[in-house]
Structures are given as structure tokens and as C-alpha cells.
Amino acid sequence: MFEGNGAELVIRLLERQGVKRIPGIPGGANLPLYDALGASRSIRHILARHEQGAGFMAQGMARTTGQPAVFFATSGPGATNTLTAIADAKLDSVPIICITGQVPSQLIGTDAFQEVDIYGMSLPVTKHNFLVRSVAELAHVIPEAFRIASPGRPGPVLIDIPKDVQTARIRLSELPEPAQPDPVEAPDVLALSQAAQMICAAKRPILLLGGGVASSGASSVARKLAEAASLPVTMSLLGLGALPDAHPLNLGMLGMHGTRAANILLEECDLLLVAGARLDDRATGRLERFCSEAKLIHIDIDQSELDKLKLAHLAITADVGAALAGLLPLVQAEAGQIGGQCEGRGPWLARVAQCKAENPSQFPGLDNPLTPYGLVRCTGELLASSEFSSEGEGAIVVTDVGQHQMRAAQAYPDLKPRAWLTSGGLGTMGFGLPAAIGAALANPARRVVCFSGDGSLQMNIQELATAAETGANVTVVLADNGGLGLVQQQQDLFYGRRIFASDYRVRIDFVKIAEGFGVRALDLNLSRAPLSDLERALKREGPCLVRVPVAAEDNVYPIVPPGAANIDMIGGEPARDMIGGEVCAAKGGN
Amino acid sequence: MTGSANDKITPKGFMALRLTVNNHPGVMSHVCGLFARRAFNVEGILVTPQQGGDTSRIWLVVNADARLGQMIRQVRKLYDVLEVLAFEADESSLERMDECMAGWEQAGPCAEIGA
């Protein structure tokens, strides 16, 4: 039995779904919802400073837990401010639910104060959206949003609720049951056995793992399959962390800033098994020249991703975890018939080892936390040290977008699925800080480190106030190069070195800014013992900002020129980077 | 594309897609928006409410190009789309769509509807 208004019904239904935290900002059109939220004993509200920040906080919660996360915004500008965070969730398949207030029903379509058609505006960036037309619909729409957001290929859902629907009274003899994810269909057995045969018959196969592997919890079965079938493994930006760096089968990331070894070996493979990746242009480079000689087996839970960009020889619509688990015994049986190993894999594995040895990754300055790669690696090593990991689960790594993001992807030691949060598809500068706050609040026992750049940080810097207010355990490691580094890099390499509109003329004192927000901060450049100061900053309770000045001229290598084939990547060769740098072991093993 | 979704497609000419959809004010936006943002032109549309009014039938006449299989897969993902079937079609259906309204048209436009 429930009796109350629409807003109270929404909050009650969210409580029943197990929602514990809702970031958001109140305004005229969602005040009834806030009034009801204020009375909730189980949901904590997190007051963001911008609705985009609230959306990314929800993403931080959803990306780490896998559960849909809810956030609130008011009508008009509040609603439009959410769109970037929603689009980001669409492209990276993150289950978030945005609940916006709307002007009263009778004013819709009259250009009322703070009225925008957020239903129409969010159509192309949501998995589905609702404009709730009556209070009775709420009982169906709220659980349905959870049913839509997470099963299958996850994605964002928007629910627009007019103010009069929020205040209308309703009486229900019983509340709807919380939504459970629908069961996913089992993968086609025939297709799996065909795949197993193709894998074992291949001479030079490669397994490509994408974000779908992380989101379906399939990393360990992916590793078992790779080991059982002797499959060298490469990963997309969102798929990183499925294998330990030092694993002999790990080739590292592919694509624009991937490893040389991965991009070279992909050119040579005769079978590409893609699991939970959508063959984005940043990963494949020029598509016609991507694995042009290889057969393609493509596994994805979203049928529309199969045959979208590259025609698959075998397309399997399935949950990646279920498909790989189904493949494993088939491959083992297939290999067992031919002496325990897939036939003739020896020469390929030898070639892989040789290619990796010839193309070790070049990360200059790894031991020095005052260098672009060093700040990533040193932070990772400090967080992996016993004092941190003794508390149980390891740190959560979040990035913004830019050079620091690529360096974190390349050089952070042993990333882990669901603990590696980065804006892949949309590449949203400003993602990092609010996503890190959301991750920290949803995982209070864990440390969260956010690698950011000065360009990215300024895009949602107001959320430092939210970090201070919530005491979130976030350490922002800021690589400050006084400009838009990745833009400068493209201007340097592809626009005749004409650096334009990508360097900031005002030097910002980020330490002072952070302190102004009530966040502790230090400039590592002024430290007499940078490594131990960094360690202290990482250990400290609550938010903290560490600024590290880096040179804007330092480019990220290798780089595949936009529109070029992966094999035509520039830079990152040992000979070139030996000068002034130090050679380190290839990430992905040596 | 050689996807299983559209084995019957002729290389040129038209196809007619028959969508059964939940009938509410946003469903046309969902369907048309999808075709627009994937740069797939719709040549003709006919929408009719089905018995009871809970569902509608949307007929879309489209060019039978290589991306149609992908479009059908995308349409199937829409929450409010209950069924998608593809039929071979030709220009004649477009002309006949117009003919349906010919009777109304002959009476001439209304002078005053407050517009």
C-alpha cells in the first residue's frame, strides 16, 4: 500500500531498487522530488556544482559497481547540462538514469520559463527515454528504466517528469517489484563450435578484448581462453586490465596510441577474434588496412555492432562472458585431439615474442615522478605497495582526456577491470574529477586516483567543491603543461608545427585554486622529496591535488596519424627515443 | 552487408519496412530520429493506429542500399518497436500513398482553423 505524491513514489521506488546515492542539483521544476528525497533515510544526496558533474559522478558509481546509478537535474539549463555526461555514457555503454524535472504538463510547448524539450534532445544519446505523462505511469516507468539501463548492452536512460506529475496524489494497493535484469539468451552452440575450430585451425590468431569484457565480468575467462588456445591478446582502451602486463600473451593496447608490437602483429594475423569491442576508428586506424588478411570472428551482445564496420566471417550475438565460457571447453577439446596445444602455434608465439622484444615501449623518465610517464608509473607503484593493497581491493584509476590519459593507459601498472575509468568513445575532457568523486563515494574503502591535465581539469573544476564537501578519497594527479597537449601534438605533427589556440597564456596556480575550494594541494615541483610527498598525498584521507608541471612539447608516441593505417604509426621506436630517455620493458611483458 | 537481417534485398530499388510500435507521442521521434542521425533517407511514411490504439503500424519506404541490414538491426533495438519486417517494394506504393489522401485534397484546404 502506498499513498503520497508522484515525487514520493519516485523516491520510494528508487529506494526499493537499492539506490544509495544520488548526485544532482535542485531547481524549480524538480523541487517536489528534492522534498521527497530529503525525507529518505536510505538515499544520500550529493550536491554537485554542475549537472554535467552530477552525471559523471553517476558514471563513476556505475562504472565501478556495474549497477545503474541515478542522478537528478532540473528543467531547462539543468537538463541541457546533463547531455554531455549522458552522451558519454551512451558511447561507453554505462548504465546511468537521469531524472529531470520538467515544467508542468499544461505549460509544455509554450516556451515556459526553463522549458526545453529534453525528451527530444536526449533521443539520440540515450538507450531509451521517457516523458512521464501521468502519475500512474511512474509506477511502471521507474522500474522499467532499471530494466532497460543495465541488461544487454548497458546504456543511459532519461526520465523527464513534469512538475504536476511530481505533485499529483496517487494511491497504490501495492508497489511494483524492483526490476531484475532480464536473462540473456545463451550463445548459439553451433556458432561456438565453429569458432573453436577456426581458432584452433588458425596459424596466427589474435584475441581483441574490449570494454564489453570488463562490463560482463569476463576478464578471467578471457585469460583462460587465451592461455588454453595460445592466443596473443590485445585490448582496446576500455578493455585494458584483462591480463597482467607481464603476461607473455599480452600485447598491450592497439590503435592510435597503442603498442608498436600490437599494431605490427595485428597486420600479420590470420584470425582476429573480437570480444566485446566495436572496432572504433581510434582502435582500428584506416579500416580497409586493419587486419586485411585475417578472418574475423566477432562476439558482441549488441547484434547491430556485428557487421557494422567490418564484415565478420562468423558473427555471434551473445554476452561475451557466456560466449567465452562456452568456447573454453570446446577449444580445450579441440586442442586435446591434436596433442594439448592448438596445432602449429609455436612459430607464431615465437614471432610474437620476437616482435615484443624488438619493440619495447618507450617510456622516458619512469622512475621520476616529475616526468609525464613517471608520475603515472610512480603513482601506480606506490598504490600497489603493500600498505595500500593490504586493505583489500586495489586503487581505482580514473583519467581525464588528453596526453595524460594515453600515458596512463600505456604506463599505469596492471590496470584492473571496473577499476579503470576513462572516457573512451566520446573523449570528454572534464570526465575525470566528477567520475572519480562518484567512484570514491560508491567505494568508500578504496583509494581513487584521478590523472588529469590542466585543460581537462578546468572543464569541471567546480567539482573540487563537491570533493571537499563529501570528503571523497580522491587524489588528483595533475599533469600541468599550460595548454591542450594532445591538440598541440597534432598541430606539431600534422599542421606544420603551427601551435595555435592551444596554449594558455595565463598560468593558473592550481594549488591555490584547490586550497580555495578547501582541498589540500601540493606542487610536486617544489618538493624536496617528491616521491615521499606523492606517497603522503595518496595516503591522505579525503581529497587532495598534486600538481606536476610537464613540458607541452613532450608528445605521446607512438601515434597513428588520423585516417592512416595502424601500421603507419609514427614514433616509439627504440632508436629514436633512446636519446635523452631510458628504455624500459615493454608494457605487456618482456 | 550480407547480414541475416536482409537476405532478400535487391541491389537497387525500394524496400518497405513494416514496424509495429507502441503508440505514444514520442515514438515517431524515436524512429525518424534514428534514420536521420544515421544518414539514411526515408522516401515515404504511412502510420496507422492498430485496433485498440495501443500500437501503431509504421510503414517506411526506403532505398534498398547496403546499409539497410544495419538500419534494421538498429530499429529493432528501439524500446517501443515491437516488430520489424522487410518487404520488397517499388515506386508505385509511394504514388498510392498520395492517392489515399486525394479525396480530402480535392475538397480544397480549410480557410479557418485558427492557423
Side-chain angles (χ1 to χ4, degrees):
Chain A
M1 166 81 178
F2 170 88
E3 192 167 358
N5 67 21
E8 288 159 353
L9 177 59
V10 169
I11 299 302
R12 178 73 72 81
L13 293 172
L14 293 178
E15 288 171 347
R16 283 162 64 88
Q17 286 293 152
V19 173
K20 295 279 179 253
R21 294 164 203 87
I22 298 181
I25 303 183
N30 68 354
L31 274 175
L33 279 169
Y34 268 86
D35 201 35
L37 180 59
S40 171
R41 269 172 289 176
S42 61
I43 303 179
R44 172 184 171 197
H45 181 253
I46 295 130
L47 179 60
R49 298 305 194 262
H50 186 291
E51 289 83 356
Q52 187 188 112
F56 283 134
M57 285 173 208
Q59 277 215 32
M61 298 169 185
R63 286 185 190 236
T64 51
T65 64
Q67 300 302 312
V70 177
F71 69 110
F72 280 1
T74 190
S75 65
T80 54
N81 278 348
T82 66
L83 285 173
T84 302
I86 294 174
D88 190 278
K90 179 81 179 334
L91 280 172
D92 284 353
S93 307
V94 181
I96 55 171
I97 296 171
C98 174
I99 299 181
T100 49
Q102 180 56 281
V103 301
S105 305
Q106 60 276 21
L107 290 182
I108 290 180
T110 66
D111 306 314
F113 176 66
Q114 291 192 333
E115 183 196 357
V116 295
D117 174 18
I118 197 63
Y119 178 82
M121 290 173 129
S122 62
L123 273 171
V125 293
T126 50
K127 187 171 175 187
H128 188 61
N129 59 4
F130 296 96
L131 170 55
V132 182
R133 286 163 198 283
S134 73
V135 65
E137 280 179 32
L138 284 172
H140 166 73
V141 166
I142 300 292
E144 196 62 10
F146 284 82
R147 198 171 287 124
I148 294 166
S150 69
R153 180 179 184 173
V157 177
L158 181 134
I159 308 172
D160 197 26
I161 311 178
K163 196 172 183 181
D164 58 307
V165 174
Q166 297 172 41
T167 53
R169 305 293 299 177
I170 182 166
R171 225 179 128 148
L172 294 170
S173 55
E174 66 186 318
L175 286 167
E177 284 304 305
Q180 302 294 328
D182 296 328
V184 183
E185 245 179 81
D188 180 48
V189 181
L190 219 62
L192 287 185
S193 67
Q194 204 185 333
Q197 283 167 15
M198 286 170 75
I199 290 166
C200 284
K203 297 278 180 256
R204 300 180 305 280
I206 288 181
L207 173 60
L208 163 55
L209 303 176
V213 174
S215 69
S216 74
S219 297
S220 73
V221 68
R223 177 180 177 172
K224 281 185 197 140
L225 179 71
E227 287 168 350
S230 304
L231 296 170
V233 178
T234 184
M235 288 153 289
S236 71
L237 179 65
L238 293 185
L240 289 174
L243 252 68
D245 292 346
H247 196 290
L249 290 170
N250 190 347
L251 306 177
M253 185 168 72
L254 82 162
M256 184 173 264
H257 296 290
T259 65
R260 291 189 62 81
N263 286 342
I264 291 168
L265 290 165
L266 279 162
E267 177 87 351
E268 298 172 16
C269 76
D270 68 346
L271 175 75
L272 182 65
L273 172 57
V274 178
R278 60 185 175 82
L279 301 177
D280 164 83
D281 54 277
R282 285 295 192 265
T284 64
R286 180 183 284 257
L287 200 59
E288 311 88 85
R289 292 186 54 199
F290 176 70
C291 299
S292 47
E293 301 303 311
K295 286 191 173 159
L296 174 66
I297 304 175
H298 198 166
I299 306 171
D300 203 289
I301 200 162
D302 180 357
Q303 196 206 12
S304 66
E305 287 302 338
L306 307 173
D307 299 330
K308 182 180 83 174
L309 294 163
K310 205 168 161 58
L311 217 55
H313 296 81
L314 180 60
I316 303 174
T317 309
D319 172 72
V320 163
L324 296 181
L327 260 177
L328 182 59
L330 298 174
V331 164
Q332 282 166 333
E334 194 84 21
Q337 289 171 9
I338 45 180
Q341 267 246 339
C342 287
E343 203 181 353
R345 208 47 65 78
W348 177 231
L349 295 181
R351 165 65 188 142
V352 165
Q354 176 210 16
C355 185
K356 283 171 67 172
E358 285 171 4
N359 295 280
S361 297
Q362 304 299 307
F363 304 140
L366 266 194
D367 297 336
N368 178 358
L370 294 170
T371 68
Y373 278 112
L375 66 89
V376 167
R377 180 61 66 89
C378 292
T379 300
E381 281 171 355
L382 287 170
L383 286 171
S385 72
S386 55
E387 277 173 275
F388 288 101
S389 51
S390 63
E391 293 181 21
E393 296 172 284
I396 294 168
V397 184
V398 185
T399 78
D400 251 308
V401 169
Q403 288 179 321
H404 67 274
Q405 176 191 30
M406 292 301 118
R407 288 176 175 131
Q410 292 174 331
Y412 193 93
D414 286 320
L415 293 165
K416 298 284 187 313
R418 292 227 176 278
W420 163 241
L421 279 53
T422 195
S423 170
L426 197 64
T428 312
M429 294 173 67
F431 169 91
L433 175 61
I437 294 169
L441 295 176
N443 302 273
R446 297 171 74 177
R447 190 70 218 177
V448 179
V449 61
C450 170
F451 293 105
S452 189
D454 53 318
S456 284
L457 187 62
Q458 287 182 72
M459 292 212 184
N460 271 321
I461 199 164
Q462 75 287 345
E463 302 308 334
L464 282 173
T466 314
E469 206 162 83
T470 56
N473 285 321
V474 173
T475 304
V476 177
V477 178
L478 171 66
D480 180 4
N481 64 5
L484 299 164
L486 215 45
V487 173
Q488 290 191 22
Q489 172 164 350
Q490 295 220 5
Q491 290 174 332
D492 176 28
L493 295 173
F494 312 124
Y495 292 86
R497 306 204 153 174
R498 292 182 296 279
I499 306 298
F500 173 67
S502 55
D503 53 340
Y504 300 132
R505 289 182 207 151
V506 172
R507 300 305 298 210
I508 292 169
D509 186 342
F510 284 100
V511 169
K512 209 179 251 178
I513 295 276
E515 286 170 350
F517 275 108
V519 170
R520 285 198 258 194
L522 75 127
D523 191 328
L524 214 58
N525 202 35
L526 304 178
S527 161
R528 268 181 287 178
L531 210 54
S532 49
D533 279 351
L534 177 61
E535 183 170 12
R536 253 195 302 281
L538 292 168
K539 273 186 190 166
R540 199 172 268 164
E541 283 280 305
C544 180
L545 182 139
V546 181
R547 182 228 176 210
V548 185
V550 299
E553 303 76 49
D554 275 356
N555 288 341
V556 176
Y557 291 113
I559 177 173
V560 177
N566 279 353
I567 199 72
D568 297 331
M569 64 201 142
I570 300 170
E573 302 95 336
R576 169 185 178 143
D577 284 354
M578 287 285 276
I579 309 153
E582 61 192 71
V583 181
C584 79
K587 186 178 157 71
N590 49 356
Chain B
M1 292 300 119
T2 60
S4 55
N6 50 276
D7 291 330
K8 295 203 300 183
I9 289 177
T10 44
K12 276 181 189 161
F14 293 101
M15 293 288 286
L17 305 181
R18 196 190 82 182
L19 281 55
T20 308
V21 301
N22 287 324
N23 181 16
H24 68 80
V27 70
M28 283 299 288
S29 294
H30 275 115
V31 172
C32 295
L34 176 65
F35 279 81
R37 72 175 170 272
R38 299 216 172 238
F40 201 98
N41 203 32
V42 177
E43 305 295 326
I45 303 181
L46 179 70
V47 187
T48 52
Q50 297 300 289
Q51 283 171 346
D54 286 343
T55 62
S56 298
R57 181 159 288 172
I58 302 178
W59 283 95
L60 300 172
V61 180
V62 295
N63 284 309
D65 83 18
R67 297 173 303 143
L68 186 58
Q70 167 65 202
M71 278 311 303
I72 292 172
R73 290 178 178 193
Q74 294 288 353
V75 176
R76 284 211 178 106
K77 288 204 302 186
L78 292 178
Y79 174 81
D80 285 316
V81 173
L82 309 173
E83 184 189 51
V84 185
L85 294 173
F87 300 88
E88 283 182 33
D90 54 51
E91 297 89 334
S92 68
S93 57
L94 291 173
E95 287 156 22
R96 286 202 305 274
M97 276 184 179
D98 242 12
E99 282 167 22
C100 300
M101 312 298 160
W104 299 340
E105 211 176 5
Q106 259 169 8
C110 293
E112 271 304 322
I113 50 164

